[in-house]
Amino acid sequence: MEVVNQTGLRKDTSLLVITHLTQLLCYVIGFGGLIVPLIIWLTSTDKVEGMDVHGKAAVNLQLSLLLYVILSIPAILLLGLGILTLIGAAILGFILPIVNAVRASNGEEPTYFLTIPFIS
């Protein structure tokens, strides 16, 4: 349901939910988990109420996960600690978008655990 408020921004919770759920494209087709939310955020940040906060959170999560994966690859040589980091990143990357999609549908702010705020 789309409702236009006094500021000219429309309230579109379904687009916010889609923004969070498109992060799961990495698990389905192998890529797109960063690109698609970034495109949605950049194209609709000035049209949809709350998109700026939710889009930044989604992109920050994907950038943080990318950094964790890159750092865990050399850490595999150190007693296998990188494998635990890879597993943890995979679990966080799967659960957090779903949780925040539910939060977006309820009109709440997103919360991402262990996310580095690259874009603020």
Side-chain angles (χ1 to χ4, degrees):
M1 176 179 218
E2 296 179 10
V3 177
V4 178
N5 60 12
Q6 296 171 352
T7 62
L9 298 175
R10 63 187 166 115
K11 186 173 174 116
D12 190 3
T13 57
S14 61
L15 188 61
L16 297 176
V17 170
I18 289 170
T19 303
H20 289 290
L21 292 179
T22 55
Q23 296 177 73
L24 299 175
L25 285 173
C26 289
Y27 296 99
V28 178
I29 60 174
F31 64 92
L34 173 64
I35 297 168
V36 176
L38 180 65
I39 291 171
I40 293 173
W41 171 55
L42 290 175
T43 57
S44 60
T45 188
D46 55 348
K47 299 172 188 166
V48 178
E49 180 182 346
M51 179 56 78
D52 193 43
V53 175
H54 287 272
K56 285 179 184 178
V59 171
N60 281 334
L61 174 70
Q62 289 301 311
L63 291 174
S64 297
L65 290 175
L66 181 65
L67 179 67
Y68 296 151
V69 168
I70 289 171
L71 292 177
S72 66
I73 291 172
I76 290 174
L77 300 174
L78 301 171
L79 303 172
L81 296 176
I83 295 174
L84 295 175
T85 309
L86 284 174
I87 292 170
I91 291 171
L92 284 176
F94 187 76
I95 293 175
L96 289 178
I98 296 171
V99 168
N100 283 302
V102 172
R103 291 178 62 92
S105 69
N106 293 333
E108 300 174 14
E109 295 290 320
T111 56
Y112 279 114
F113 181 68
L114 295 175
T115 301
I116 302 167
F118 291 107
I119 303 169
S120 56

